[in-house]
């Protein structure tokens, strides 16, 4: 980070090589890596504070999921502070002192920044080769992954589309099929399932409620939140959130969202259903597997009541 004492902080790279378990950790950021490492350090017994400069983390995810995870982290004992950021870091005998932009002070043994990465394209000779990059350093490609040089192609995070390993694999497979397999094709970036391995984890595919309303106007929402049956024995208060977004006319399921145990496993097959154009009726006609959390996706029947539109002139 470009702040005084920024060199005293670590990234997720160095987090794997710490000589001992830190007692106090500050994690800065609100994306995949930040929320995952906050849970990892917390799981090891550290006192964790997570700072994010915005109103709510995980931008681009469904808002219900974002707020649910924030509640779960607070309940678990992770101190989540939104609209907060570090202005400077100083080394003290007792550890590191972080002064926030609002003037408040915190101490920690480790401060980790997970505020995003940029494509690592410097010093590759791209400019000399004539390969164009954008203002972030990402390589500019067309739909066929060809760069500004006809003989050079690029795929993966370096082209700054969807920064997920399976997306990069799909792009590479498409390019190989196109160039060498006689099957020209490109990756489909719509309805890409993904997971955040927070605690509890998130699984999501398709449109968020906000995106669906922007694209289609009115949509039907099915949502449930519950404490998993196994926690009646474990005593844990962790809750699971599940949500379906459905087109009111076609009945097509537009989005599937979950925050709870095994979300990543469940959302993989939910992604197949969404890609195949499954309807809410298809979900409803599928027999649930009991006792599982996943069965909630095929047993939700009651729509979430939507607030009445404001009267004209108010």
């Amino acid at each position: 980070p470009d702040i005084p004492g920024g060199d005293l902080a670590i990234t997720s790279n160095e987090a794997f090589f710490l000589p001992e378990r830190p007692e106090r950790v500050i994690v800065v950021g609100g994306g995949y890596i930040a929320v995952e490492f906050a849970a990892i350090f917390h799981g090891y017994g550290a006192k964790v504070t997570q700072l994010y400069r915005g109103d709510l983390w995980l931008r681009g995810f469904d808002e219900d999921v974002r707020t649910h995870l924030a509640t779960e982290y607070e309940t678990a004992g992770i101190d989540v502070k939104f609209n907060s950021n570090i202005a400077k870091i100083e080394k003290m005998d007792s550890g590191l002192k972080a002064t926030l932009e609002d003037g408040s002070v915190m101490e920690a043994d480790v401060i980790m920044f997970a505020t995003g990465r940029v494509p690592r394209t410097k010093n590759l000779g791209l400019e000399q080769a004539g390969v164009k990059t954008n203002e972030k350093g990402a390589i500019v490609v067309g739909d066929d992954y060809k760069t500004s040089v006809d003989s050079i192609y690029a795929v993966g995070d370096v082209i700054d589309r969807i920064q997920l390993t399976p997306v990069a694999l799909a792009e590479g497979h498409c390019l190989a099929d196109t160039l060498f397999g006689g099957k020209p094709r490109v990756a489909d970036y719509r309805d890409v399932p993904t997971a955040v391995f927070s605690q509890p984890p998130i699984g999501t595919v398709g449109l968020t409620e906000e995106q669906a309303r922007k694209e289609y106007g009115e949509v039907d929402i099915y949502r449930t939140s519950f404490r998993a049956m196994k926690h009646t024995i474990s005593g844990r208060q962790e809750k699971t959130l599940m949500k379906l977004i459905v087109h009111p006319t076609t009945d097509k399921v537009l989005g599937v969202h979950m925050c709870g145990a095994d979300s990543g496993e469940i959302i993989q097959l939910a992604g197949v259903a969404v890609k195949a154009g499954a309807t809410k009726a298809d979900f409803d006609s599928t027999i649930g597997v009991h006792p599982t959390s996943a069965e909630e996706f095929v047993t939700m029947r009651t729509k979430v009541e939507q607030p009445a539109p404001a009267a004209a002139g108010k």
Side-chain angles (χ1 to χ4, degrees):
D2 187 18
I3 58 172
D7 59 312
L8 297 172
I10 67 169
T11 70
S12 57
N13 291 347
E14 295 79 34
F16 291 103
F17 301 99
L18 296 174
E20 59 186 14
R21 177 182 67 83
E23 295 290 338
R24 304 163 298 168
V25 178
I26 297 173
V27 177
V28 183
Y32 286 74
I33 301 301
V35 298
E36 290 174 351
F37 269 92
I40 291 170
F41 282 122
H42 176 72
Y44 276 120
K47 179 182 178 182
V48 178
T49 300
Q50 184 166 356
L51 308 178
Y52 179 56
R53 63 184 179 180
D55 294 332
L56 190 62
W57 56 17
L58 294 173
R59 187 176 62 224
F61 284 77
D62 188 89
E63 187 164 349
D64 281 336
V65 170
R66 299 163 73 195
T67 55
H68 181 86
L69 186 67
T71 299
E72 289 299 306
Y73 269 38
E74 290 285 4
T75 300
I78 298 174
D79 185 11
V80 180
K81 296 181 182 295
F82 296 119
N83 298 304
S84 300
N85 205 4
I86 294 179
K88 67 176 179 179
I89 303 173
E90 299 169 89
K91 189 171 181 58
M92 314 287 287
D93 290 340
S94 57
L96 299 174
K97 183 175 81 171
T99 302
L100 306 192
E101 291 176 348
D102 64 4
S104 60
V105 173
M106 303 176 63
E107 288 194 9
D109 302 306
V110 167
I111 299 175
M112 190 185 99
F113 274 75
T115 51
R117 295 177 182 265
V118 295
R120 195 172 182 179
T121 55
K122 292 182 179 179
N123 303 318
L124 292 181
L126 297 180
E127 186 175 346
Q128 293 89 329
V131 176
K132 292 182 180 178
T133 58
N134 65 17
E135 64 281 357
K136 295 180 181 179
I139 297 174
V140 178
V141 298
D143 290 340
D144 58 356
Y145 307 113
K146 183 186 292 185
T147 69
S148 52
V149 178
D150 285 345
S151 60
I152 299 177
Y153 296 79
V155 298
D157 290 359
V158 78
I159 65 174
D160 197 25
R161 291 189 177 176
I162 299 178
Q163 294 185 5
L164 295 171
T165 299
V167 172
L169 292 172
E171 290 169 345
H173 197 172
C174 288
L175 181 60
D177 281 348
T178 299
L179 296 180
F180 310 112
K183 297 182 291 185
R185 62 191 186 96
V186 296
D188 182 359
Y189 297 103
R190 190 174 175 90
D191 299 328
V192 173
T194 187
V196 181
F197 293 100
S198 46
Q199 291 296 328
I202 292 169
T204 181
V205 63
L207 300 180
T208 66
E209 181 177 344
E210 298 76 25
Q211 292 168 337
R213 291 191 185 282
K214 183 177 181 180
E215 186 167 338
Y216 296 105
E218 289 301 311
V219 291
D220 292 336
I221 304 298
Y222 298 83
R223 183 178 61 227
T224 185
S225 178
F226 57 92
R227 186 165 167 244
M229 187 182 298
K230 63 184 178 182
H231 292 321
T232 60
I233 298 173
S234 72
R236 293 181 63 178
Q237 298 304 308
E238 180 181 297
K239 284 190 173 182
T240 295
L241 172 75
M242 305 178 82
K243 182 174 181 179
L244 292 175
I245 299 161
V246 180
H247 193 287
T249 304
T250 65
D251 198 44
K252 182 179 178 181
V253 176
L254 303 173
V256 180
H257 307 279
M258 178 177 176
C259 183
D262 302 317
S263 291
E265 303 289 347
I266 293 168
I267 213 66
Q268 179 66 83
L269 287 182
V272 176
V274 172
K275 292 290 284 186
T279 63
K280 181 63 167 61
D282 292 325
F283 275 62
D284 293 346
S285 65
T286 301
I287 303 298
V289 177
H290 184 76
T292 66
S293 294
E295 68 180 309
E296 293 290 328
F297 276 132
V298 299
T299 58
M300 285 189 282
R301 298 290 188 270
T302 305
K303 298 176 188 176
V304 174
E305 290 189 14
Q306 302 301 314
K314 292 186 179 181

